[in-house]
Amino acid sequence: MAEFLYKAQNAQGNNFEGTLEAKDKAEAEALLMRRRLTIVKLKKKPMEIKLNIGNGIKHEDLTRFTRMFSSMCSAGLPMLQCLNILEEQCENPALKDVVHKVTQSINGGSSLADALAQHPKVFDSLYCNMVAAGEAGGILEGILARLAETMENSMRLKRKVKKALTYPVMVIIVGIVVVIALMTFVVPTFAEQFAALDAELPAPTQVVMNISDFLRDNGGFLFLAVIALGIAWKLVMKVPAAQFAFDKFMLKVPKIGDLTIKSSTASFSRTLGTLLNAGVSVMDALKVVASTAGNKVVEQAIGKISIGIAGGKSIADPMTEVGIFPPMVIQMTGVGEKTGNLGGMLLKLADFYDEEVDAAVDAVVGMIEPLIIVFLGGAVGGLLIAMYMPMFSMGDAIKG
């Protein structure tokens, strides 16, 4: 798909300009004519070379944008005026550019949802579907408020997980750096002293010295190998089958699997409940939920639920069959469906499982910390013992 720059006029003589994507110039002309615009100028957008990592827009920036957008719409400001004000206030250049393009698309005749959908790396399917539902129902400001609340809850959960895991990760990194420093700088000093003695070294000491020599001789190669492995891992994880196998394995890991299930359940419940309360149909909502699941196994399970519902089943029956969701979730979902308050019930479940995720995170950290202490203590202690073993041997020889 190519990107085209255009200037056009509508039937009232108002001028519009913006960008649109099309296969070729003929398709771009057809798209503008479909919007009932008279083309003044149309040309292919020059190629731009940008070296950006990601889209440059943080989750916090998008959440703040959504909350401000909701507040302005609630105050009665026209949508285009809201977007112009938000564009001026944006501190993030990348988001500012996206808002400008969205405004241009709306000026060109697009709906807000369609304009947002042109930037899928910024506005995901959940965002676009909810905005589309809000536009269709005339409740855009309320939908934006719900979106902002959903994004804030998601951000709060991620922040808790990140904060809880920061300490163990930092301990691991510091421990690895200490061990490498000992092997690279301290062990060689002992090796020189042992070489001067010209005596046979104990096996553990010899092993440590061999590892030290290997690290010093091949440090650069090992560093590049670690980077290559990281790149290879990312490439492999892009293969659906490999990602599915890894996600399935993670679900079986003690504590971590429990955390993954509870986190996925909270995300599933909140996203589905929010979409249903916004007026999105169950089938369309499930498609969005599946695309934002973040776990291939859960995504496949949601797909099976959609198939079951399409076959005439209630939502609780296929949820039981997939074997992913806890029994309480299935039972409360069934109750919500029977009482006609499925969206509200799912949001209550989401609040409950947010608290469960907090407890699961504490359990994971409680499991990891002792393992880290044992591993690092064993590594450093074993290294020191190996280095002092020859001294003990020499002391015994002197006494003998």
Side-chain angles (χ1 to χ4, degrees):
M1 297 289 283
E3 196 169 3
F4 292 85
L5 300 172
Y6 70 85
K7 290 183 180 180
Q9 285 184 343
N10 62 7
Q12 289 75 35
N14 297 321
N15 294 318
F16 299 95
E17 62 178 68
T19 62
L20 57 83
E21 291 185 353
K23 292 180 181 178
D24 50 36
K25 191 172 182 179
E27 184 180 1
E29 290 175 349
L31 289 172
L32 291 172
M33 291 175 65
R34 202 176 301 162
R35 297 177 185 175
R36 298 181 180 180
L37 295 174
T38 302
I39 300 172
V40 176
K41 187 176 181 180
L42 179 66
K43 66 176 182 178
K44 191 172 183 180
K45 186 177 180 180
M47 184 179 294
E48 296 179 357
I49 300 176
K50 293 182 179 181
L51 299 176
N52 291 333
I53 299 176
N55 57 30
I57 300 173
K58 296 180 180 179
H59 191 78
E60 293 87 343
D61 296 329
L62 189 57
T63 302
R64 192 180 302 111
F65 164 83
T66 307
R67 177 62 71 186
M68 292 173 66
F69 196 3
S70 169
S71 300
M72 290 181 186
C73 288
S74 299
L77 295 177
M79 182 172 60
L80 282 173
Q81 186 178 354
C82 294
L83 289 171
N84 288 328
I85 294 172
L86 288 169
E87 181 184 345
E88 292 177 3
Q89 291 186 347
C90 274
E91 297 179 359
N92 187 314
L95 182 57
K96 188 183 187 76
D97 181 58
V98 170
V99 175
H100 179 71
K101 290 179 179 178
V102 168
T103 305
Q104 286 184 324
S105 297
I106 295 173
N107 280 326
S110 294
S111 66
L112 176 60
D114 290 340
L116 296 175
Q118 294 178 17
H119 308 278
K121 292 183 179 180
V122 180
F123 305 101
D124 58 18
S125 55
L126 169 64
Y127 203 108
C128 295
N129 275 273
M130 288 193 65
V131 168
E135 285 186 297
I139 52 171
L140 182 59
E141 63 276 4
I143 291 297
L144 288 171
R146 290 181 187 176
L147 254 177
E149 183 180 351
T150 300
M151 295 170 72
E152 286 165 356
N153 287 329
S154 174
M155 189 168 61
R156 193 178 300 116
L157 181 61
K158 289 180 180 178
R159 193 182 293 120
K160 287 179 181 178
V161 174
K162 185 177 180 180
K163 183 178 179 181
L165 296 180
T166 296
Y167 173 71
V169 170
M170 290 302 298
V171 171
I172 291 173
I173 293 174
V174 171
I176 291 174
V177 170
V178 169
V179 170
I180 292 175
L182 289 173
M183 297 292 286
T184 306
F185 301 107
V186 178
V187 172
T189 303
F190 281 90
E192 293 175 1
Q193 297 177 358
F194 296 152
L197 296 175
D198 195 22
E200 184 178 353
L201 298 175
T205 306
Q206 190 61 55
V207 168
V208 170
M209 291 176 62
N210 291 340
I211 295 174
S212 175
D213 292 339
F214 180 79
L215 288 175
R216 295 183 70 192
D217 295 339
N218 303 280
F221 172 78
L222 289 174
F223 179 73
L224 294 176
V226 170
I227 295 176
L229 284 173
I231 295 173
W233 176 260
K234 286 191 174 182
L235 293 175
V236 169
M237 286 298 103
K238 289 183 178 180
V239 179
Q243 181 69 62
F244 182 87
F246 178 75
D247 288 344
K248 188 174 182 179
F249 168 75
M250 292 303 293
L251 290 177
K252 296 180 180 179
V253 177
K255 302 293 183 182
I256 294 177
D258 180 59
L259 172 60
T260 304
I261 289 293
K262 289 178 177 178
S263 177
S264 297
T265 300
S267 176
F268 168 85
S269 302
R270 188 170 300 283
T271 305
L272 183 57
T274 302
L275 286 168
L276 292 177
N277 283 345
V280 180
S281 67
V282 175
M283 295 301 293
D284 290 339
L286 285 172
K287 289 180 183 178
V288 176
V289 174
S291 66
T292 58
N295 184 291
K296 290 294 181 182
V297 179
V298 177
E299 182 180 337
Q300 185 186 76
I302 296 172
K304 291 179 179 178
I305 293 172
S306 299
I307 294 172
I309 294 174
K313 296 181 179 180
S314 66
I315 189 172
D317 292 337
M319 284 181 71
T320 304
E321 293 170 4
V322 297
I324 291 289
F325 300 98
M328 187 187 78
V329 176
I330 299 170
Q331 292 175 12
M332 291 186 69
T333 300
V335 171
E337 189 174 26
K338 290 177 181 177
T339 58
N341 187 32
L342 181 56
M345 187 66 75
L346 286 168
L347 291 177
K348 289 180 181 179
L349 277 170
D351 292 336
F352 172 78
Y353 272 94
D354 281 344
E355 296 179 3
E356 287 292 296
V357 169
D358 291 343
V361 169
D362 292 338
V364 170
V365 174
M367 178 189 71
I368 292 176
E369 286 183 349
L371 294 177
I372 294 174
I373 293 171
V374 170
F375 172 75
L376 294 180
V380 176
L383 191 151
L384 293 176
I385 291 172
M387 287 297 96
Y388 279 101
M389 284 181 71
M391 298 181 184
F392 297 149
S393 301
M394 286 186 292
D396 293 339
I398 292 172
K399 290 179 181 179

